[in-house]
Amino acid sequence: MPLTDIAVRQAKARDRAYKLADGSGLCLLVQPNGSKWWRYRYRFWGCEKMLSVGVYPGTSLSLARALAGEARNLLDEGKDPGAERVIARKTQDTSFQAVARHLLAAMEKHVHADKRAFATFKKNRWVQEKLLFPKLGLRPVGEITPKELLSVLKDIETKGQYETARRAKQRAGQIFRHAIGLGYASRDITTDLKGLLTPPIVSHHASIIDPAEVGKLMRAIYGYSGNIETRSALQLAPLLIVRPGELRKAEWEHFDFGSAEWRIPARKMKMRAPHIVPLSRQGVEILKELKIATGDSQYLFPKLGDRFRPMSENTVNKALRTLGYVREEMTGHGFRSTASTLLNEHGWDHDAIERQLAHTERSGVRAAYNYAEHLPIRRQMMQAWADYLDRLRKAMPEDARSIRMSNQSSSATHTNWTMPDASNDVAA
């Protein structure tokens, strides 16, 4: 039986190396250390031979099959795939730089197919060209030593850029694994550098989780006197709890006031899976007012002076600074942390919260079906959250901590729940 992506991903290490056959000579060799190597077994002039076609996950199942297919084509032509690879190494550019650019070209195709974010592609290209190429670019990829790579990474660390060094190591690992698939390298040398880089200090997005301070923040937001686009973005950020980039790039065509939903297509999501945001009564009211001002634009929040582009990524954060909140106190991304903390504290279903935050990594078939998971309870939760924010905004600071959010999670498993009429009064 042919392998599946799930079977490859879930293959566990054993005391001894073992193989999982995919068919037609291709197999996955799982090593005791957990590494997974693709091997293509074939016969040439009566002799059995083995060809390496990459390391998982750098070389996916589909790519391994394609590479094995190319080897079979050579056999059909009467050529030995292994010998042809040796010849290719002598005639082709096997430099680190050439392999990296070959990998970038493959990534760029995924960008055009909306399977990868352009920002991710751009960051990868910057790391390669600015940090790795200057010292490693022209070196044959199969001859680069762990010591050489470590020296490059340590140079980055001397500038205090520990997270950048970690990411550069990750990008280098991708390049070496790609080189294995191309037959230019025998292994990923970044595995030798485990534990040799200074761990970066993890800093979370600043957020406010004290109910009294949340109420103060909401009063400040509703008192913002700037343009309607920025004011609406500030008001919607805590209600919709999407990532800042997803909010500022929101498009009117994806909103349905009738069903009170914002259906975000996969190409706009970080995890490249579709996502549904149930709209509260308060959210619908803000959106309807905003639509009068920006409904003629593709975007909810068009850039000032250019309605064909979304607002700047710094707009919400700058507005928060105008309201007196420094970067260490609150950020546009912090609204998600605020919601996550308080929703969990008030007893809402953890899986529903995570799904609404689009934290769960999904792929393939799951992405096509599970975006609506927990949707009935998420509808109730988002309305309860909006009501709670309203109550905090209107409450005296000394009373805020005693305010409880309505929690119907225990009885929200039925599927007949409907959005309350938008004309209902907001909870006092």
Side-chain angles (χ1 to χ4, degrees):
M1 180 182 295
L3 292 174
T4 63
D5 288 325
I6 294 177
V8 173
R9 185 170 63 249
Q10 295 182 346
K12 304 297 183 184
R14 300 176 184 173
D15 293 338
R16 295 183 178 181
Y18 67 96
K19 298 174 184 175
L20 296 175
D22 183 58
S24 301
L26 180 65
C27 68
L28 182 72
L29 177 64
V30 184
Q31 301 282 12
N33 64 0
S35 62
K36 302 173 183 179
W37 295 68
W38 293 108
R39 292 286 189 266
Y40 174 61
R41 187 189 299 274
Y42 66 99
R43 299 185 71 85
F44 190 76
W45 284 5
C47 297
E48 186 174 279
K49 297 188 175 185
M50 187 79 77
L51 186 71
S52 172
V53 289
V55 179
Y56 181 85
T59 302
S60 65
L61 172 59
S62 59
L63 179 56
R65 286 171 174 167
L67 293 172
E70 292 177 3
R72 282 192 290 273
N73 291 337
L74 290 173
L75 287 171
D76 292 340
E77 297 172 6
K79 300 176 181 179
D80 181 353
E84 291 298 314
R85 176 175 288 181
V86 173
I87 295 173
R89 287 176 181 171
K90 294 179 180 179
T91 59
Q92 294 181 351
D93 186 354
T94 63
S95 68
F96 181 85
Q97 180 173 292
V99 174
R101 285 181 171 154
H102 189 271
L103 176 60
L104 274 178
M107 290 176 60
E108 191 169 14
K109 291 181 181 178
H110 286 163
V111 172
H112 293 319
D114 286 329
K115 294 181 179 180
R116 184 184 292 269
F118 177 72
T120 302
F121 168 79
K122 190 175 179 180
K123 288 177 182 177
N124 283 350
R125 184 174 61 189
W126 180 86
V127 168
Q128 291 181 11
E129 295 180 349
K130 299 298 182 182
L131 303 180
L132 299 176
F133 286 180
K135 290 188 177 180
L136 301 177
L138 299 181
R139 294 275 288 124
V141 68
E143 297 179 12
I144 296 175
T145 65
K147 183 178 179 180
E148 285 181 89
L149 177 58
L150 182 60
S151 175
V152 171
L153 299 177
K154 285 297 182 181
D155 284 346
I156 300 173
E157 284 195 341
T158 58
K159 302 174 184 177
Q161 300 173 346
Y162 303 113
E163 175 62 21
T164 302
R166 184 185 71 84
R167 292 184 180 276
K169 178 189 170 187
Q170 289 179 338
R171 300 292 86 79
Q174 289 179 330
I175 295 168
F176 284 113
R177 291 191 293 274
H178 191 64
I180 294 171
L182 295 174
Y184 300 159
S186 60
R187 67 189 189 92
D188 174 9
I189 66 172
T190 61
T191 58
D192 294 351
L193 307 185
K194 185 177 181 179
L196 298 183
L197 295 181
T198 304
I201 298 175
V202 178
S203 58
H204 299 285
H205 295 284
S207 62
I208 295 172
I209 58 175
D210 178 80
E213 291 301 317
V214 173
K216 179 181 176 182
L217 172 62
M218 294 304 295
R219 287 190 291 274
I221 287 175
Y222 274 76
Y224 182 77
S225 59
N227 63 65
I228 187 172
E229 292 93 337
T230 304
R231 183 178 76 245
S232 298
L234 279 172
Q235 293 174 344
L236 289 170
L239 294 176
L240 304 179
I241 56 176
V242 293
R243 296 178 180 89
E246 293 156 5
L247 178 64
R248 73 182 184 88
K249 295 178 182 178
E251 299 180 32
W252 285 115
E253 66 173 315
H254 302 138
F255 284 81
D256 186 342
F257 290 162
S259 61
E261 288 180 349
W262 174 18
R263 290 184 170 249
I264 310 177
R267 61 185 172 82
K268 285 181 164 287
M269 294 297 297
K270 178 180 179 180
M271 304 311 299
R272 287 302 185 263
H275 184 53
I276 298 176
V277 180
L279 302 176
S280 63
R281 294 189 305 271
Q282 295 89 328
V284 170
E285 290 172 2
I286 295 168
L287 287 166
K288 286 183 175 180
E289 181 184 1
L290 177 64
K291 192 170 180 64
I292 297 173
T294 68
D296 61 333
S297 171
Q298 171 185 355
Y299 298 103
L300 275 68
F301 312 105
K303 185 176 182 179
L304 291 177
D306 186 354
R307 300 183 76 77
F308 296 99
R309 297 175 60 190
M311 67 166 49
S312 165
E313 60 184 335
N314 295 319
T315 301
V316 170
N317 283 334
K318 286 182 178 179
L320 286 170
R321 307 298 164 257
T322 301
L323 294 175
Y325 290 89
V326 297
R327 184 174 58 183
E328 292 73 23
E329 289 180 295
M330 190 63 189
T331 64
H333 204 288
F335 290 111
R336 290 164 56 80
S337 299
T338 299
S340 177
T341 300
L342 293 176
L343 286 168
N344 275 293
E345 285 185 358
H346 284 259
W348 283 92
D349 183 85
H350 177 72
D351 289 338
I353 296 171
E354 290 299 290
R355 179 66 73 199
Q356 194 54 56
L357 292 169
H359 276 165
T360 306
E361 295 191 18
R362 307 182 293 282
S363 61
V365 176
R366 282 181 58 83
Y369 296 100
N370 286 6
Y371 65 96
E373 191 175 22
H374 305 296
L375 189 55
I377 190 174
R378 284 159 54 193
R379 291 187 190 279
Q380 290 194 1
M381 181 178 72
M382 293 296 277
Q383 184 58 55
W385 171 243
D387 291 342
Y388 178 67
L389 291 177
D390 268 349
R391 295 178 68 191
L392 291 181
R393 175 167 60 91
K394 298 173 182 179
M396 297 295 291
E398 59 270 22
D399 297 330
R401 294 181 183 86
S402 63
I403 295 175
R404 300 301 300 170
M405 192 189 315
S406 62
N407 182 350
Q408 300 174 343
S409 58
S410 61
S411 61
T413 55
H414 58 80
T415 58
N416 294 323
W417 186 86
T418 57
M419 185 72 188
D421 184 80
S423 63
N424 290 348
D425 291 336
V426 173

